Amino acid sequence: MPFEVRFWGVRGSIPAPGPQTRRYGGNTPCVEIRCGEELLIFDLGSGARALGDSLLAAAGGPVRGNIFITHYHYDHLQGLPFFAPIFVPTSELTMNGPARNGRTTRELLSGHMVQPYFPVTAEGTFRAKVTYRDLPADGTLQLGPAKVQWLELNHPGGSLGYRVECGGRSVVYATDVEHGSDMDSGMFEFARGADLFIYDSMYTEDEYHGRGGPARTGWGHSTWQAAVAAADAAQVKTLVLFHHDPNRDDAAMDKLLRQVRKHRPDAIAAKEAMVIKL
């Protein structure tokens, strides 16, 4: 059964387009996973615009699938108002995300498209059949041949990590997580043995601890060193560095990856348009 991962946005915090980030990409998080005919989309950062256009072009008609939101920070939802399939009346999309602060997934997503911050509202412009599903702190969904599990990660305001199993293989998507909390052990068990481990590796240890600049502790992100330690603890097969710092250009990303591969030769740094078949 086909099982593949395609990256549409790999950058963190804010889009960083330009010639210095051309090879790795400047769009914020959006990852497409295919398990057989099942379409799963993780986050709707600015990369979702190109994904939506690609889906409509390939399908030649309506798009059907499940969208999973890790959390509601802007960089993970910037592409929502520009995701073309959601404006096609015959498309069928399920929005899966955690309820937060007494508000449902529907309310939280709609809150990103309100005056005076955006000219049109979600309720007024979405034409697709959109179903909203509030996810508890942890759980499991069976979507055709795909088994999707999730759990809470250590991030300000909360964030969900996801695991997708398909035909005996597995992918873990654990972006926006800060290491060093008592939640680490649960995340290691959640990711144990995964074939592909997509993990937040936004900073170096020097950046994280403020050696030469402001400290990033408490900001909700991890380091490449912590990513290596997590991959080792969870005994995953391949580590994928993700949520790249917007200030890290292609040359700096190459340097960072070389450092990581001294410890994990299997490591990959996510790039836009990269496809990994499992």
Side-chain angles (χ1 to χ4, degrees):
M1 178 186 304
F3 186 25
E4 67 178 39
V5 179
R6 184 184 298 265
F7 295 91
W8 294 91
V10 302
R11 195 68 55 171
S13 297
I14 190 170
Q20 287 77 30
T21 58
R22 186 176 293 118
R23 284 192 290 110
Y24 285 89
N27 281 302
T28 57
C30 183
V31 177
E32 174 190 4
I33 296 181
R34 296 276 186 167
C35 174
E37 297 299 314
E38 200 71 33
L39 169 64
L40 309 174
I41 299 168
F42 293 85
D43 283 328
L44 292 172
S46 61
R49 183 191 62 81
L51 167 59
D53 293 346
S54 174
L55 290 173
L56 286 180
V63 173
R64 297 176 178 84
N66 272 267
I67 298 170
F68 292 88
I69 304 298
T70 56
H71 63 305
Y72 302 98
H73 290 166
Y74 286 132
D75 55 328
H76 292 254
L77 288 180
Q78 289 163 329
L80 172 62
F82 308 98
F83 183 67
I86 211 165
F87 302 102
V88 176
T90 48
S91 288
E92 297 179 15
L93 301 165
T94 300
M95 297 283 194
N96 303 274
R100 299 289 187 203
N101 303 320
R103 289 184 288 174
T104 65
T105 300
R106 181 173 188 161
E107 291 170 332
L108 289 162
L109 291 174
S110 297
H112 276 257
M113 296 173 63
V114 295
Q115 293 280 4
Y117 308 110
F118 204 79
V120 296
T121 65
E123 300 298 335
T125 57
F126 289 173
R127 294 290 180 263
K129 179 182 178 182
V130 181
T131 303
Y132 297 87
R133 181 186 285 128
D134 293 336
L135 302 180
D138 58 77
T140 303
L141 279 175
Q142 190 71 42
L143 300 170
K147 177 182 177 182
V148 182
Q149 299 171 278
W150 61 90
L151 89 166
E152 286 280 7
L153 302 176
N154 180 35
H155 190 72
S159 181
L160 295 183
Y162 292 97
R163 181 181 180 120
V164 181
E165 297 182 357
C166 176
R169 293 150 292 166
S170 56
V171 174
V172 171
Y173 178 65
T175 185
D176 290 66
V177 55
E178 185 164 357
H179 60 290
S181 79
D182 58 6
M183 300 172 74
D184 283 357
S185 59
M187 192 271 291
F188 299 157
E189 287 305 311
F190 179 76
R192 187 160 303 282
D195 293 281
L196 205 65
F197 185 45
I198 304 167
Y199 190 84
D200 185 326
S201 54
M202 190 167 185
Y203 303 125
T204 66
E205 285 291 319
D206 285 344
E207 291 167 345
Y208 181 74
H209 291 290
R211 302 176 190 127
R216 277 80 164 182
T217 53
W219 289 17
H221 299 288
S222 198
T223 67
W224 70 258
Q225 291 93 336
V228 168
D232 289 346
Q235 299 177 315
V236 302
K237 293 181 181 177
T238 301
L239 168 64
V240 182
L241 310 177
F242 192 76
H243 205 276
H244 309 321
D245 192 305
N247 292 317
R248 207 177 312 284
D249 63 17
D250 288 338
M253 281 301 306
D254 289 341
K255 180 180 178 181
L256 187 149
L257 182 58
R258 287 195 296 269
Q259 292 175 302
V260 174
R261 283 180 170 168
K262 293 176 183 177
H263 306 272
R264 293 279 311 200
D266 62 278
I268 300 168
K271 295 179 179 180
E272 284 183 33
M274 175 186 284
V275 178
I276 300 176
K277 297 183 178 183
L278 297 164

